[in-house]
Amino acid sequence: MVRITPKSKVIVLTGAGISAESGIGTFRAANGLWENHNVQDIASPEGFKRNPCLVWQFYKKRWLQSQEAMPNPAHFALVKLEQYLGDGFRLITQNVDGLHSRAGSSRVWEIHGSLNRCYCTNCGVSAAMQDIDLTQDIPLCPKCGSSLRPDIVWFGEIPYFLFEIEGAIKQCDYFIIVGTSGVVYPAAGFVLTASLMGAKTIALNLDEPDNIGFIDTFYQGKSGEILPALIEEWIKP
Ligand code: APR
Ligand code: ZN
């Protein structure tokens, strides 16, 4: 029985599935984002070095798509859970579409970066996608003129916020995963760590996630359809 009180410490980890009902493609479904591309060509530092134009084409398209997408009821349900818990709530997202922040979530760790940002491969200066000249095949740094790259954590690179996440996982009462296949580490391993530290683990996914073995309670379905009612149920006094 899931019972979340205002004193509970809850971490939620989301993946591409939570944005599916906002019209943004997931990665590993049929006709998923990776289907038409060799991941190493468009989501690795080596691929960017080989063909930065191709990588920029892919991410410009994804950024424009994310700008047109709207948060769905699952994103807003997590805002409600955050309002109920305050500092006892943390949201880890593998998504780079920015929909959690646009829905109103504020305690968000975007561990794989964000389509909304890019940074200079030379001087490291960061820039917002909306502020740079995207007509250039390879957008250039406003400060030093070198090529910019999307602020996305690619395969072989270290995700952001791992130190903060390790600390938060040690103290959480509930670790909830929503809309992720559970195949990409280290994110897929967070739920095991949480379970070993004594947290209750919950998953909500269209299909059984790969790391189902670490899950205490599994809800199968579309997050936009079932997460709002589940959160109402969980926080009921
Ligand atoms: N509601 C809930 N779950 C859904 C929905 C939905 N409406 N639609 C799809 N799903 C589930 C699918 O069943 C699948 O298990 O979402 C999951 C999406 O899995 P992936 O496509 O593998 O995406 P994700 O788990 O986020 O991938 C993790 O891998 O490629 C890298 O960096 C990329 O952040 C990404 C990471
Ligand atoms: Zn620069």
Side-chain angles (χ1 to χ4, degrees), residues 4-9 84-86 88 235:
I4 295 177
T5 73
K7 291 214 175 341
S8 300
K9 290 199 181 320
Y84 175 76
L85 291 167
I235 65 175

Side-chain angles (χ1 to χ4, degrees), residues 56 60 63-64 67 115-119 125-136 139-143 148:
W56 265 109
K60 281 179 195 171
W63 177 65
L64 290 170
Q67 295 304 296
L115 290 168
N116 291 318
R117 295 190 303 270
C118 53
Y119 63 85
V125 84
S126 180
M129 281 291 256
Q130 67 199 22
D131 298 340
I132 60 171
D133 176 5
L134 290 176
T135 58
Q136 297 169 317
L140 300 178
C141 173
K143 199 163 150 242
L148 295 170

Side-chain angles (χ1 to χ4, degrees), residues 120 123 141 144:
C120 176
C123 71
C141 173
C144 74

